[in-house]
Amino acid sequence: MIHDTKRGETQEDLALFVGGPMSFSDTAIRLVAETIPYFAFHRISDLSDLMTLAASDTAHVRIVIVDERLAEDLQTTLPQLETKFPHAHFSLAYRDPSVAMRLIRETDRYPGSERVGFLPMNVGVDCWLSVLRLVALGQRYFPSELIDRTPEPVVPAPAPTAPEAQDVGLTVREREVLSAAAEGKQNKLIADELGVSEHTVKLHMHHIIRKLGVKNRTEATIWHLAQGASGIRQS
């Protein structure tokens, strides 16, 4: 459900906060709308709601700010979001830098990762609004605290026993899900062990199947077992 803060008679550029009122309060959204009046700001509760927006709305979306509690869902749906919202920039609203760092590591290989920025939530109001002004101008904001934490890229050594495993592009979490599925674990148990929702596990499996070019979960686990696990468990 979209939480309206401003609607004109003509279609305006849209900025969407994705998360609950505990993360993005009505007061905060009104303050942003007053500070950046050339956008219509709305709150949407979940990324799944974001994906169901009509094309007449998605064409006008310029900013998508996602609460850190949805970071893992953002990671798994980012390719689809970038396709559905071709004119938008995405920002993770974070309080815990480790959550932001995890997203950086997992999406670094994505072609559209340069469209993802970061909005620190544990800063003063003036600083927070200044960052949002930059985002509204189409800038990707990357806080210095995250730059300082970003390690130098490491080029992994090739895996001679399964070179094809390096080309499928599975993320660390996707490899964990696939490994657990190959052990015969159901989605609910995998979700409990990884500390994520069952819906997130299903999204991971969907992406695994697509990346491997197989038809279903069974074929994906067969592929995993054929690799001897050596090609896809490396982090």
Side-chain angles (χ1 to χ4, degrees), residues 164-229:
E164 68 275 21
Q166 294 194 25
D167 299 328
V168 297
L170 297 183
T171 66
V172 173
R173 185 48 61 93
E174 287 168 354
R175 293 195 291 267
E176 292 173 344
V177 169
L178 181 54
S179 178
E183 295 173 4
K185 298 176 181 177
Q186 298 302 309
N187 287 344
K188 187 177 188 307
L189 179 58
I190 297 173
D192 290 341
E193 290 183 349
L194 298 181
V196 299
S197 68
E198 190 172 352
H199 172 70
T200 296
V201 173
K202 292 178 181 178
L203 283 174
H204 282 311
M205 185 56 65
H206 171 77
H207 292 298
I208 290 166
I209 291 170
R210 177 178 56 82
K211 290 179 180 180
L212 296 184
V214 297
K215 296 179 180 179
N216 51 43
R217 178 192 185 104
T218 300
E219 290 188 6
T221 59
I222 292 172
W223 180 92
H224 171 87
L225 295 172
Q227 309 309 311

Side-chain angles (χ1 to χ4, degrees), residues 126-148:
D126 289 342
C127 179
W128 188 69
L129 290 173
S130 295
V131 174
L132 280 171
R133 289 190 190 98
L134 288 174
V135 174
L137 293 172
Q139 301 297 312
R140 179 198 188 199
Y141 184 70
F142 209 107
S144 59
E145 67 173 347
L146 299 183
I147 296 175
D148 294 341

Side-chain angles (χ1 to χ4, degrees), residues 32-90:
V32 175
E34 292 170 0
T35 305
I36 310 175
Y38 42 91
F39 276 89
F41 288 87
H42 308 280
R43 186 178 64 232
I44 291 180
S45 61
D46 194 79
L47 284 169
S48 59
D49 296 330
L50 189 64
M51 292 298 293
T52 62
L53 287 182
S56 58
D57 284 328
T58 60
H60 295 274
V61 174
R62 298 293 182 268
I63 303 170
V64 178
I65 299 172
V66 182
D67 179 45
E68 69 175 4
R69 299 176 188 177
L70 303 174
E72 192 157 352
D73 287 345
L74 174 61
Q75 172 202 324
T76 57
T77 58
L78 186 58
Q80 294 97 312
L81 288 170
E82 289 172 337
T83 299
K84 189 175 181 68
F85 300 94
H87 307 298
H89 282 77
F90 302 87

Side-chain angles (χ1 to χ4, degrees), residues 92-114:
L92 180 72
Y94 74 94
R95 292 176 176 80
D96 183 352
S98 66
V99 175
M101 289 304 306
R102 190 177 307 118
L103 182 67
I104 292 170
R105 289 193 300 270
E106 296 293 348
T107 62
D108 186 58
R109 72 184 69 186
Y110 290 2
S113 61
E114 69 276 0

